């Protein structure tokens, strides 16, 4: 399937075309890449604000993963596995309407992040897309070692041309790239 509009580059109002890290072209080269975005919702105004967005090719994502501690990666993987096992048989649910791991409705989240695993102009065949709620993101962050948080910070500082206010968000370990 085509990449849902919610995952488009908000500045260009079009699909992401290059890796935010190495600038590699993504669409014509049919590359595999990840898109991650974070939003804050203002329920009383029925509005939301985009906190950050990033498209990153698998080479860059793997390089980054390689620099993270094994303990942190295992902890996050186990957490994901446990939570998804508990949520089996949820077929037919719109993945953008609720948290992948808790089922918390999107409308009840103050902040949330969306993830898509893409190839070229489509959602990757063996990929998918999903939403994680604020409480789950917090729980995942608490699993990361200080060392891993430092690596995430360094990666952002070195490779991501982000404005300082966005870097601050990443330094909290928000850039998970799971
Ligand atoms: Zn890249």
């Amino acid at each position: 399937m085509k990449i849902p509009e919610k995952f488009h580059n908000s500045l260009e109002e079009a699909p992401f075309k290059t890796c935010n890290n190495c600038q590699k072209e993504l669409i014509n080269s049919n590359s595999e890449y990840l898109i991650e975005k974070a939003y804050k919702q203002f329920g009383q105004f029925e509005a939301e604000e985009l906190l950050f967005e990033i498209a990153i090719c698998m080479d860059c994502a793997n390089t980054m993963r390689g620099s993270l501690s094994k303990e942190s990666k295992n902890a996050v993987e186990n957490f994901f596995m446990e939570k998804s096992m508990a949520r089996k048989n949820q077929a037919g649910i719109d993945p953008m309407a609720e948290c992948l791991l808790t089922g918390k409705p999107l409308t009840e989240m103050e902040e949330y992040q969306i993830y898509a695993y893409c190839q070229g102009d489509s959602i990757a065949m063996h990929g998918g897309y999903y939403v994680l709620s604020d409480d789950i993101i917090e729980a995942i962050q608490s699993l990361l070692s200080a060392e891993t948080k430092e690596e995430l910070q360094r990666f952002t500082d070195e490779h991501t041309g982000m404005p300082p206010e966005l870097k601050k968000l990443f330094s909290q370990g928000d850039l998970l790239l799971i």
Side-chain angles (χ1 to χ4, degrees), residues 2-35:
K2 290 280 174 211
I3 296 167
E5 251 176 56
K6 180 103 180 175
F7 288 97
H8 283 181
N9 181 322
S10 64
L11 292 176
E12 297 179 2
E13 292 181 345
F16 283 98
K17 294 182 189 71
T18 55
C19 171
N20 282 156
N21 187 30
C22 69
Q23 313 308 326
K24 171 179 153 166
E25 198 280 331
L26 300 172
I27 309 286
N28 297 330
S29 62
N30 205 32
S31 296
E32 291 183 36
Y33 58 102
L34 301 163
I35 297 172

Side-chain angles (χ1 to χ4, degrees), residues 32-51:
E32 291 183 36
Y33 58 102
L34 301 163
I35 297 172
E36 180 178 344
K37 290 186 173 207
Y39 289 90
K40 187 178 179 65
Q41 296 202 103
F42 303 94
Q44 69 272 41
F45 307 118
E46 291 184 355
E48 62 180 7
E49 180 188 1
L50 177 68
L51 298 175

Side-chain angles (χ1 to χ4, degrees), residues 117-135:
Y117 181 21
C118 308
Q119 182 166 19
D121 63 359
S122 304
I123 296 292
M125 286 284 282
H126 49 297
Y129 58 98
Y130 57 89
V131 177
L132 292 183
S133 62
D134 32 21
D135 43 353

